[in-house]
């Protein structure tokens, strides 16, 4: 209709609006993509052999027992620890930090106690457990921006909430 200026403005604002849409709705888009990824993974895991499922259940039980024993010992000495158990949402951004120490160790109470020993250089930060093994230590987790948290929560508590907001981590 001969509206060159209006056509120019509409053509240029569409690309800006598309980028703004992605930036504004980033958390919702991330959750949607995680849901799609989880549903496709569950179809693969449902095809697993029953022997593999029982073996995996046993190793998960052993890992939980080791974490519980370590936490009981650390509670006696009032030692704080942040242990992140990765589930289906991968936390690669935490694992690839420059200060993180890459490990590939079995989860045991002794190993966790050594990592969180107050004189250890690995004590500062979190431990990431991936696929039933300690993947990294000394991980710095972004703090939660949730304004509904109690004021008496410290940095470690806010980091734990921040880790849980990043995905389905425990």
């Amino acid at each position: 209709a001969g509206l060159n200026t209006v056509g120019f403005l509409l053509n240029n604002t569409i690309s800006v609006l598309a980028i703004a849409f992605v930036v504004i709705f980033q958390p919702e888009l991330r959750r949607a993509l995680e849901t799609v990824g989880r549903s496709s993974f569950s179809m693969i895991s449902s095809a697993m052999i029953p022997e593999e499922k029982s073996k995996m259940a046993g190793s998960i039980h052993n890992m939980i027992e080791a974490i519980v024993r370590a936490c009981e010992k650390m509670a006696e000495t009032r030692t704080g620890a942040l242990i992140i158990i990765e589930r289906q949402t991968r936390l690669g951004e935490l694992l690839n930090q420059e200060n993180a120490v890459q490990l590939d160790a079995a989860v045991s109470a002794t190993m966790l106690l050594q990592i969180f020993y107050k004189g250890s250089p690995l004590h500062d930060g979190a431990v990431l457990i991936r696929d039933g093994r300690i993947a990294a230590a000394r991980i710095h987790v972004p703090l939660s921006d949730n304004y509904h948290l109690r004021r008496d929560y410290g940095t470690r508590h806010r980091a734990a909430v921040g880790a849980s907001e990043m995905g389905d981590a425990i």
Side-chain angles (χ1 to χ4, degrees), residues 19-108:
I19 293 171
F21 177 80
V22 171
V23 170
I24 291 170
F25 294 107
Q26 184 264 337
E28 288 81 6
L29 291 172
R30 180 178 179 149
R31 275 190 228 110
L33 291 173
E34 286 175 4
T35 304
V36 169
R38 279 192 212 119
S39 64
S40 64
F41 180 73
S42 66
M43 286 188 291
I44 294 170
S45 66
S46 65
M48 224 189 268
I49 301 171
E51 292 175 9
E52 291 178 10
K53 286 183 180 180
S54 66
K55 190 185 298 184
M56 188 170 32
S59 66
I60 290 172
H61 178 73
N62 292 338
M63 178 187 73
I64 292 170
E65 287 295 320
I67 292 171
V68 168
R69 282 193 311 273
C71 289
E72 286 174 346
K73 295 278 188 186
M74 287 187 283
E76 290 172 5
T77 60
R78 300 192 49 85
T79 301
L82 181 55
I83 302 170
I84 301 170
I85 303 172
E86 187 180 70
R87 292 171 69 189
Q88 295 181 351
T89 303
R90 294 292 185 184
L91 301 174
E93 61 268 17
L94 296 179
L95 193 62
N96 297 326
Q97 294 174 351
E98 81 177 53
N99 60 326
V101 176
Q102 303 289 325
L103 301 171
D104 184 22
V107 177
S108 68

Side-chain angles (χ1 to χ4, degrees), residues 1-8:
L3 301 173
N4 293 331
T5 306
V6 173
F8 174 78

Side-chain angles (χ1 to χ4, degrees), residues 139-153:
I139 294 174
H140 291 191
V141 182
L143 303 179
S144 173
D145 292 332
N146 191 340
Y147 296 108
H148 301 293
L149 293 176
R150 293 182 5 199
R151 292 186 179 263
D152 59 337
Y153 283 171

